[in-house]
Amino acid sequence: MAFKSTSVAAVAKAIFPKLGLSQKATNPGVFAGAWGGSGAVLAKHSPVDGSLLGRVRQATPEDYELAVAAAQKAFLAWRDVPAPKRGEVVRQLGNGLRSLKTELGQLVSLEAGKILPEGGGEVQEMIDICDFATGLSRQLHGLTIASERPGHRMMEQWQPLGVVGIISAFNFPVAVWAWNSALAAACGDATLWKPSEKTPLTAIACIKIAEKVCRANGVDPAIFALVIGDGPSVGELMTNDRRIPLVSATGSTRMGRRVGEVVAKRFGRSLLELGGNNAIIVAPSADLKLAKRAIVFGAVGTAGQRCTSTRRIIVHESIKAKFTESLITAYKQLPIGSPLQTGNLVGPLIDEAAVENMMKALAELKKQGGRILFGGGRLKGNYVTPCIAEARNEWPVVQHETFAPILYVMGYKTLDEAIALQNGVPQGLSSAIFTTDLREAEQFLAARGSDCGIANVNIGTSGAEIGGAFGGEKETGGGRESGSDAWKAYMRRQTVTINYSDSLPLAQGIKFGD
């Protein structure tokens, strides 16, 4: 297993000026139509080699207040802009991202540790959702509904909601913002973004692109406001803020539970994208070569730090031993090292704490009776060897999502048993089955099949397209982002009845006086 390394300094030096970032001066971490921030300085080190990437001035509660007030003011004007005109601004945002796709993708690799193809792919997701939202801006349609009263017309329409709070995680440091903000902007909303403190520079770079587009179009750029800070300084203020009718939060189940409870207490809305514990069922009829490729990408892509990462494989007992051996062979050939080095497929975990969490999970696995079949070792820095282990589905370590490249293998005899194992975890994000048996595929997709928000046949759990609504059930939170009709979460539904007669009949035939 080759271990390759490379320095991040040259890449950072080349791309930072193009993205409006500074390596030497402290970057302001608050955007409220103008850049500022008066809080503590955050030093961001790259997970690639530990080197200092840059410094960011974080938000104080006072800075937060300035940002939310600016976003609210911007919303009041933005909501009156015709939706197709809003779509044009989003289209230009997509073009701004296109023009800096290489540099922004490289920054994602520097800051989040993703390999270059994944960094570039994440930026492409941003571009794609801008294209989607541009078309959507001409399709924010409601319904005409038959009225039971003569001389009346009833219809449904959708109105802009307000300021949308966005809380994003480190593993998709820019795409999640775009999923939310592109749709919200097309719908007439302003946004206030709290990115992960682990990936602040990519957030600043994105907002600088959005700011430039807004100014070129005479739009108040505070529709894309930014506050970088920790949970107590920023997150708690956002979730408690009645001026923010919707909080879209991506992260851990623990974080989502807190956000959901706080927002619900003030009768706000929350859109939660939380943990996954995703399984792939491998049936006897499966194309095993195809299944192996999907499992390896799903399990080790982004070093196992995707909410859609493959955590469990449920393999028919007749093929389990041979198929597991083929996976081990594939794992032995994985190039691990700097995500900036062409050919490497596994980069680092985000930080030392993530490495420690992986090691603790493997120690727990052994205590509970599991057996490591391959990997699970520390390399230098934040790098680890992806792990394959035998486990039982009911063990606590398997029931819990460990954000690391650990793949649990278990067997099954009947498809009913396999589906029960697949569904037998608290999370419900992504799922897949590899089979060439039509009846097995249809059973997996039926009401008694997968209970996840995403169910795939002959593709893996990871790598969703933006055209479909993204999200899951149970402890994954129930939220939906990106495609399909996810836009409705960012608007308020309004039922309208128009009386064009000269009488006032009541519904349900009620008579009230003369």
Side-chain angles (χ1 to χ4, degrees):
M1 182 181 300
F3 187 91
K4 305 171 184 178
S5 63
T6 186
S7 171
V8 303
V11 176
K13 183 178 180 181
I15 67 173
F16 269 43
K18 296 179 182 179
L19 295 171
L21 300 171
S22 175
Q23 287 181 281
K24 296 182 179 179
T26 299
N27 297 276
V30 177
F31 184 70
W35 289 93
S38 55
V41 173
L42 171 67
K44 170 57 189 177
H45 295 265
S46 173
V48 177
D49 63 2
S51 62
L52 179 67
L53 280 179
R55 295 180 174 84
V56 175
R57 180 74 66 179
Q58 298 181 89
T60 62
E62 292 75 20
D63 295 324
Y64 169 85
E65 181 59 35
L66 290 173
V68 73
Q72 177 68 15
K73 179 182 177 183
F75 161 70
L76 296 178
W78 183 242
R79 66 182 177 179
D80 288 333
V81 175
K85 298 290 186 182
R86 301 194 298 251
E88 170 59 19
V89 173
V90 176
R91 185 188 71 82
Q92 292 180 35
L93 174 59
N95 285 341
L97 295 168
R98 277 186 180 90
S99 68
L100 290 167
K101 178 182 175 181
T102 298
E103 292 81 2
L104 194 52
Q106 289 173 334
L107 180 58
V108 170
S109 295
L110 290 179
E111 192 168 48
K114 291 188 174 185
I115 61 173
L116 285 174
E118 288 189 286
E122 182 167 350
V123 180
Q124 187 62 49
E125 280 194 65
M126 302 174 74
I127 296 166
D128 291 345
I129 198 64
C130 286
D131 288 347
F132 180 91
T134 299
L136 176 67
S137 68
R138 294 182 181 271
Q139 300 180 69
L140 300 173
H141 50 72
L143 300 170
T144 299
I145 305 166
S147 174
E148 67 181 69
R149 291 171 282 187
H152 286 60
R153 179 166 65 87
M154 187 161 57
M155 66 180 186
E156 174 186 278
Q157 61 185 8
W158 296 85
Q159 304 284 18
L161 183 62
V163 178
V164 175
I166 302 170
I167 300 173
S168 62
F170 75 86
N171 60 326
F172 278 87
V174 293
V176 169
W177 169 75
W179 285 1
N180 284 275
S181 61
L183 293 187
C187 290
D189 301 327
T191 57
L192 179 62
W193 183 17
K194 180 204 172 303
S196 168
E197 304 98 290
K198 297 180 181 182
T199 50
L201 296 170
T202 48
I204 294 171
C206 286
I207 296 299
K208 284 184 176 289
I209 295 170
E211 177 192 11
K212 184 176 180 181
V213 169
C214 287
R215 295 199 187 284
N217 286 273
V219 172
D220 187 338
I223 62 169
F224 298 112
L226 173 71
V227 281
I228 294 174
D230 59 22
S233 298
V234 174
E236 286 291 324
L237 294 174
M238 182 182 290
T239 54
N240 280 285
D241 198 329
R242 292 182 179 274
R243 292 168 295 182
I244 300 179
L246 171 65
V247 176
S248 177
T250 301
S252 68
T253 298
R254 178 188 57 79
M255 180 274 290
R257 184 173 285 111
R258 173 64 180 169
V259 170
E261 289 176 354
V262 173
V263 175
K265 284 181 180 178
R266 61 176 176 85
F267 295 101
R269 303 185 199 171
S270 57
L271 194 165
L272 302 176
E273 296 288 356
L274 310 176
N277 197 344
N278 316 296
I280 294 178
I281 298 171
V282 184
S285 68
D287 181 331
L288 297 182
K289 184 177 180 181
L290 200 65
K292 181 172 70 174
R293 289 183 61 191
I295 290 168
V296 172
F297 171 71
V300 309
T302 319
Q305 297 172 115
R306 291 183 175 218
C307 53
T308 54
S309 290
T310 306
R311 308 287 180 202
R312 300 172 293 143
I313 57 168
I314 304 164
V315 189
H316 194 271
E317 289 188 350
S318 65
I319 59 172
K320 178 172 175 276
K322 185 176 181 180
F323 185 69
T324 302
E325 204 52 50
S326 73
L327 280 176
I328 292 171
T329 300
Y331 269 50
K332 288 179 179 178
Q333 298 170 12
L334 288 171
I336 303 170
S338 169
L340 303 175
Q341 181 71 44
T342 301
N344 282 342
L345 296 180
V346 185
L349 295 179
I350 188 65
D351 53 25
E352 174 63 22
V355 177
E356 289 293 334
N357 284 337
M358 178 177 175
M359 296 303 119
K360 288 178 183 176
L362 293 178
E364 284 299 313
L365 172 72
K366 293 175 183 176
K367 287 181 183 178
Q368 292 166 26
R371 185 164 66 98
I372 294 176
L373 304 177
F374 177 80
R378 289 175 180 260
L379 301 174
K380 65 180 182 180
N382 297 330
Y383 296 83
V384 297
T385 308
C387 177
I388 300 174
E390 277 192 328
R392 294 183 63 86
N393 202 60
E394 65 270 19
W395 290 346
V397 70
V398 179
Q399 293 285 304
H400 173 77
E401 179 192 36
T402 301
F403 227 49
I406 303 174
L407 181 64
Y408 300 115
V409 181
M410 54 198 75
Y412 78 94
K413 293 180 180 179
T414 68
L415 185 57
D416 285 339
E417 178 190 1
I419 291 173
L421 290 170
Q422 138 67 38
N423 294 343
V425 292
Q427 309 84 358
L429 179 53
S430 188
S431 60
I433 187 171
F434 277 81
T435 180
T436 55
D437 185 323
L438 178 63
R439 290 175 295 182
E440 287 188 325
E442 290 295 337
Q443 181 176 338
F444 179 75
L445 299 176
R448 61 190 178 103
S450 169
D451 65 359
C452 293
I454 299 170
N456 296 329
V457 176
N458 294 330
I459 61 172
T461 61
S462 194
E465 300 178 33
I466 60 96
F470 180 89
E473 303 300 324
K474 301 188 294 188
E475 288 190 4
T476 300
R480 293 297 186 274
E481 294 173 328
S482 194
S484 186
D485 65 348
W487 60 271
K488 293 180 178 179
Y490 303 89
M491 304 197 80
R492 56 182 175 88
R493 186 194 304 253
Q494 190 173 65
T495 300
V496 177
T497 305
I498 301 168
N499 179 6
Y500 58 91
S501 74
D502 57 3
S503 61
L504 194 65
L506 300 177
Q508 293 85 45
I510 294 173
K511 302 295 183 181
F512 188 77
D514 296 330

